[in-house]
Amino acid sequence: MAARESIADLKKRARIVSRALAKLYPEARITLGFETPWQCLAATILSAQSTDAGVNRVTPGLFREYPDPRAMAAADRRHVEELIFKTGFFRQKTRSLMAAAQKIVEDYGGEVPAEMEELVKIPGVGRKTANVILGHIYGKPGFVVDTHVRRLTYRLGFTKQTDPAKIEIDMQKILPADDWTPFSMRLILHGRQVCIARKPDCEVCAVAGDCPKIGVRTAPRG
């Protein structure tokens, strides 16, 4: 792979990688369970430093008792902590959930906003969570950057940035908007299953031929 690629070359290679990953992971969605915009936001907040499976074990009970922002804004803090205890960092997450709910009730009439500029004003909501909501709830383009996406976009040579917001900008330059959400979701799945942090399984990777493997120093598993 050339040390420096033009934007046109990056776009071409990103398109090839996107198509390959689409074949591997046709269902490109988060695995969190939710039914409403508020539940999506709450589940995503809970997913920090936790697995989606772990979050999905506690959200049915949480959403049964506090199904919407108005209910959460008036919730008993200790009871919320008990309900989400197993997701870790339960005190901070409870504060974020209740503060987010209060903001949504007070400033947005109880409805989760559909614009990035408004979403990031909500306590506990950064660009990652906002892009999840935009892409999965409102059908708007949103490139989600988590630890897996940060690692894979760097290894693939699509960005040299480490800041999530800057990675998002770089990827938006080389991908069509319709690909932002599904491609980022597929990178997350690929990062969990194949391109793991310490020992990426390059020998079985479907995009190995189009990946410069930047920063990969360990031998593939075999």
CSV table of all heavy atoms in Angstrom, one decimal, residues 38-39 61-77 79-80 83 97-102 104-105 110:
chain,number,residue,atom,x,y,z
A,38,TRP,N,-35.8,7.1,23.2
A,38,TRP,CA,-35.3,7.2,24.6
A,38,TRP,C,-34.6,6.0,25.0
A,38,TRP,O,-33.5,6.0,25.6
A,38,TRP,CB,-36.4,7.6,25.6
A,38,TRP,CG,-36.0,7.3,27.0
A,38,TRP,CD1,-36.4,6.3,27.8
A,38,TRP,CD2,-35.0,7.9,27.8
A,38,TRP,NE1,-35.8,6.3,29.0
A,38,TRP,CE2,-34.9,7.3,29.0
A,38,TRP,CE3,-34.1,9.0,27.5
A,38,TRP,CZ2,-34.0,7.7,30.0
A,38,TRP,CZ3,-33.2,9.4,28.5
A,38,TRP,CH2,-33.2,8.8,29.7
A,39,GLN,N,-35.2,4.8,24.7
A,39,GLN,CA,-34.6,3.5,25.1
A,39,GLN,C,-33.3,3.3,24.4
A,39,GLN,O,-32.3,2.8,24.9
A,39,GLN,CB,-35.6,2.4,24.8
A,39,GLN,CG,-36.7,2.4,25.8
A,39,GLN,CD,-37.7,1.3,25.5
A,39,GLN,OE1,-37.5,0.4,24.7
A,39,GLN,NE2,-38.8,1.3,26.3
A,61,GLY,N,-35.9,-4.7,32.6
A,61,GLY,CA,-36.4,-4.3,33.9
A,61,GLY,C,-36.4,-2.8,34.1
A,61,GLY,O,-37.4,-2.2,34.6
A,62,LEU,N,-35.3,-2.1,33.6
A,62,LEU,CA,-35.2,-0.7,33.7
A,62,LEU,C,-36.3,0.0,32.9
A,62,LEU,O,-37.0,0.9,33.3
A,62,LEU,CB,-33.9,-0.2,33.1
A,62,LEU,CG,-33.6,1.2,33.1
A,62,LEU,CD1,-33.4,1.8,34.6
A,62,LEU,CD2,-32.3,1.6,32.3
A,63,PHE,N,-36.5,-0.5,31.6
A,63,PHE,CA,-37.5,0.2,30.8
A,63,PHE,C,-39.0,-0.1,31.2
A,63,PHE,O,-39.9,0.6,30.9
A,63,PHE,CB,-37.3,-0.3,29.3
A,63,PHE,CG,-36.0,0.2,28.7
A,63,PHE,CD1,-35.5,-0.5,27.7
A,63,PHE,CD2,-35.4,1.3,29.2
A,63,PHE,CE1,-34.2,-0.1,27.1
A,63,PHE,CE2,-34.1,1.7,28.7
A,63,PHE,CZ,-33.6,1.0,27.6
A,64,ARG,N,-39.1,-1.3,31.9
A,64,ARG,CA,-40.5,-1.6,32.4
A,64,ARG,C,-40.9,-0.6,33.5
A,64,ARG,O,-42.0,-0.1,33.5
A,64,ARG,CB,-40.5,-3.0,33.0
A,64,ARG,CG,-41.8,-3.5,33.4
A,64,ARG,CD,-41.9,-5.0,33.6
A,64,ARG,NE,-40.8,-5.5,34.4
A,64,ARG,CZ,-39.8,-6.2,34.0
A,64,ARG,NH1,-39.7,-6.6,32.7
A,64,ARG,NH2,-38.8,-6.6,34.8
A,65,GLU,N,-39.9,-0.2,34.3
A,65,GLU,CA,-40.2,0.8,35.4
A,65,GLU,C,-40.1,2.2,35.0
A,65,GLU,O,-40.8,3.1,35.5
A,65,GLU,CB,-39.4,0.5,36.6
A,65,GLU,CG,-39.6,-0.9,37.2
A,65,GLU,CD,-39.1,-1.1,38.6
A,65,GLU,OE1,-39.2,-0.1,39.4
A,65,GLU,OE2,-38.6,-2.1,39.0
A,66,TYR,N,-39.1,2.5,34.0
A,66,TYR,CA,-38.9,3.9,33.6
A,66,TYR,C,-38.8,3.9,32.1
A,66,TYR,O,-37.8,3.9,31.5
A,66,TYR,CB,-37.6,4.4,34.2
A,66,TYR,CG,-37.5,4.3,35.7
A,66,TYR,CD1,-36.7,3.3,36.3
A,66,TYR,CD2,-38.3,5.1,36.5
A,66,TYR,CE1,-36.6,3.2,37.7
A,66,TYR,CE2,-38.2,5.0,37.9
A,66,TYR,CZ,-37.4,4.0,38.5
A,66,TYR,OH,-37.3,3.9,39.8
A,67,PRO,N,-40.0,3.8,31.4
A,67,PRO,CA,-40.0,3.6,30.0
A,67,PRO,C,-39.7,4.9,29.1
A,67,PRO,O,-39.5,4.7,27.9
A,67,PRO,CB,-41.5,3.2,29.7
A,67,PRO,CG,-42.3,3.8,30.8
A,67,PRO,CD,-41.3,3.8,32.0
A,68,ASP,N,-39.8,6.0,29.8
A,68,ASP,CA,-39.6,7.3,29.0
A,68,ASP,C,-38.9,8.3,29.8
A,68,ASP,O,-38.6,8.1,31.0
A,68,ASP,CB,-41.0,7.8,28.5
A,68,ASP,CG,-42.0,8.0,29.6
A,68,ASP,OD1,-41.6,8.5,30.7
A,68,ASP,OD2,-43.1,7.5,29.5
A,69,PRO,N,-38.5,9.4,29.2
A,69,PRO,CA,-37.7,10.5,29.9
A,69,PRO,C,-38.5,11.0,31.1
A,69,PRO,O,-37.8,11.3,32.1
A,69,PRO,CB,-37.5,11.5,28.8
A,69,PRO,CG,-37.5,10.8,27.5
A,69,PRO,CD,-38.6,9.7,27.7
A,70,ARG,N,-39.8,11.2,31.0
A,70,ARG,CA,-40.5,11.7,32.1
A,70,ARG,C,-40.4,10.8,33.4
A,70,ARG,O,-40.3,11.3,34.5
A,70,ARG,CB,-42.0,12.0,31.8
A,70,ARG,CG,-42.1,13.1,30.7
A,70,ARG,CD,-43.5,13.5,30.4
A,70,ARG,NE,-43.6,14.4,29.3
A,70,ARG,CZ,-43.4,15.7,29.3
A,70,ARG,NH1,-43.0,16.2,30.5
A,70,ARG,NH2,-43.5,16.4,28.3
A,71,ALA,N,-40.5,9.5,33.1
A,71,ALA,CA,-40.5,8.6,34.2
A,71,ALA,C,-39.0,8.6,34.8
A,71,ALA,O,-38.9,8.5,36.0
A,71,ALA,CB,-40.9,7.2,33.7
A,72,MET,N,-38.0,8.6,33.9
A,72,MET,CA,-36.6,8.6,34.4
A,72,MET,C,-36.3,9.8,35.2
A,72,MET,O,-35.6,9.8,36.2
A,72,MET,CB,-35.7,8.3,33.3
A,72,MET,CG,-34.2,8.3,33.6
A,72,MET,SD,-33.8,7.0,34.9
A,72,MET,CE,-33.9,5.5,33.9
A,73,ALA,N,-36.8,11.0,34.7
A,73,ALA,CA,-36.5,12.3,35.3
A,73,ALA,C,-37.0,12.3,36.8
A,73,ALA,O,-36.4,13.0,37.6
A,73,ALA,CB,-37.1,13.4,34.5
A,74,ALA,N,-38.1,11.5,37.0
A,74,ALA,CA,-38.7,11.5,38.4
A,74,ALA,C,-38.3,10.3,39.1
A,74,ALA,O,-38.9,10.0,40.2
A,74,ALA,CB,-40.2,11.6,38.2
A,75,ALA,N,-37.3,9.5,38.7
A,75,ALA,CA,-37.0,8.2,39.2
A,75,ALA,C,-36.3,8.3,40.6
A,75,ALA,O,-35.8,9.4,40.9
A,75,ALA,CB,-36.1,7.4,38.3
A,76,ASP,N,-36.4,7.3,41.3
A,76,ASP,CA,-35.6,7.1,42.6
A,76,ASP,C,-34.2,6.7,42.2
A,76,ASP,O,-33.9,5.7,41.6
A,76,ASP,CB,-36.2,6.1,43.5
A,76,ASP,CG,-35.4,5.9,44.8
A,76,ASP,OD1,-35.7,6.7,45.7
A,76,ASP,OD2,-34.6,5.0,44.8
A,77,ARG,N,-33.2,7.6,42.5
A,77,ARG,CA,-31.8,7.4,42.1
A,77,ARG,C,-31.3,6.0,42.6
A,77,ARG,O,-30.7,5.3,41.8
A,77,ARG,CB,-30.9,8.5,42.6
A,77,ARG,CG,-29.4,8.3,42.4
A,77,ARG,CD,-28.6,9.4,42.9
A,77,ARG,NE,-28.8,9.6,44.3
A,77,ARG,CZ,-28.2,8.8,45.3
A,77,ARG,NH1,-27.4,7.9,44.9
A,77,ARG,NH2,-28.4,9.1,46.5
A,79,HIS,N,-32.9,3.3,43.3
A,79,HIS,CA,-33.5,2.2,42.6
A,79,HIS,C,-33.0,2.0,41.2
A,79,HIS,O,-32.7,0.9,40.8
A,79,HIS,CB,-35.0,2.4,42.5
A,79,HIS,CG,-35.8,1.2,42.0
A,79,HIS,ND1,-35.5,0.0,42.4
A,79,HIS,CD2,-36.8,1.2,41.1
A,79,HIS,CE1,-36.3,-0.9,41.8
A,79,HIS,NE2,-37.1,-0.2,41.0
A,80,VAL,N,-32.7,3.1,40.5
A,80,VAL,CA,-32.1,3.0,39.2
A,80,VAL,C,-30.7,2.4,39.3
A,80,VAL,O,-30.3,1.5,38.5
A,80,VAL,CB,-31.9,4.4,38.5
A,80,VAL,CG1,-31.2,4.3,37.2
A,80,VAL,CG2,-33.3,5.0,38.3
A,83,LEU,N,-31.0,-1.3,39.6
A,83,LEU,CA,-31.4,-1.9,38.3
A,83,LEU,C,-30.3,-2.1,37.3
A,83,LEU,O,-30.3,-3.0,36.5
A,83,LEU,CB,-32.6,-1.1,37.7
A,83,LEU,CG,-33.9,-1.2,38.4
A,83,LEU,CD1,-34.9,-0.2,37.8
A,83,LEU,CD2,-34.5,-2.6,38.4
A,97,LEU,N,-28.2,9.1,33.1
A,97,LEU,CA,-29.5,8.8,32.6
A,97,LEU,C,-30.5,9.8,33.2
A,97,LEU,O,-31.4,10.3,32.4
A,97,LEU,CB,-29.9,7.4,33.1
A,97,LEU,CG,-29.3,6.2,32.4
A,97,LEU,CD1,-29.7,4.9,33.1
A,97,LEU,CD2,-29.7,6.1,31.0
A,98,MET,N,-30.5,10.1,34.4
A,98,MET,CA,-31.4,11.1,35.0
A,98,MET,C,-31.2,12.5,34.5
A,98,MET,O,-32.2,13.2,34.2
A,98,MET,CB,-31.3,11.0,36.6
A,98,MET,CG,-31.7,9.6,37.1
A,98,MET,SD,-31.9,9.5,38.9
A,98,MET,CE,-33.3,10.6,39.2
A,99,ALA,N,-30.0,12.9,34.4
A,99,ALA,CA,-29.7,14.2,33.8
A,99,ALA,C,-30.2,14.3,32.4
A,99,ALA,O,-30.7,15.4,32.0
A,99,ALA,CB,-28.2,14.6,34.0
A,100,ALA,N,-29.9,13.3,31.6
A,100,ALA,CA,-30.3,13.3,30.2
A,100,ALA,C,-31.9,13.4,30.1
A,100,ALA,O,-32.4,14.1,29.3
A,100,ALA,CB,-29.9,12.0,29.5
A,101,ALA,N,-32.5,12.6,31.0
A,101,ALA,CA,-34.0,12.6,31.0
A,101,ALA,C,-34.5,14.0,31.3
A,101,ALA,O,-35.5,14.5,30.7
A,101,ALA,CB,-34.5,11.5,31.9
A,102,GLN,N,-34.0,14.6,32.3
A,102,GLN,CA,-34.4,15.9,32.8
A,102,GLN,C,-34.2,17.0,31.7
A,102,GLN,O,-35.1,17.8,31.4
A,102,GLN,CB,-33.7,16.3,34.0
A,102,GLN,CG,-34.1,15.5,35.3
A,102,GLN,CD,-33.1,15.6,36.4
A,102,GLN,OE1,-32.1,16.4,36.3
A,102,GLN,NE2,-33.3,14.9,37.5
A,104,ILE,N,-34.1,16.4,28.4
A,104,ILE,CA,-35.0,16.1,27.3
A,104,ILE,C,-36.5,16.6,27.7
A,104,ILE,O,-37.2,17.1,26.8
A,104,ILE,CB,-35.0,14.6,27.0
A,104,ILE,CG1,-33.7,14.2,26.4
A,104,ILE,CG2,-36.2,14.2,26.1
A,104,ILE,CD1,-33.5,12.7,26.3
A,105,VAL,N,-36.9,16.4,28.9
A,105,VAL,CA,-38.2,16.8,29.4
A,105,VAL,C,-38.3,18.3,29.4
A,105,VAL,O,-39.2,18.9,28.9
A,105,VAL,CB,-38.5,16.2,30.8
A,105,VAL,CG1,-39.8,16.9,31.4
A,105,VAL,CG2,-38.7,14.7,30.7
A,110,GLY,N,-39.9,16.2,26.2
A,110,GLY,CA,-39.9,14.8,26.4
A,110,GLY,C,-39.6,14.0,25.2
A,110,GLY,O,-39.6,12.7,25.3
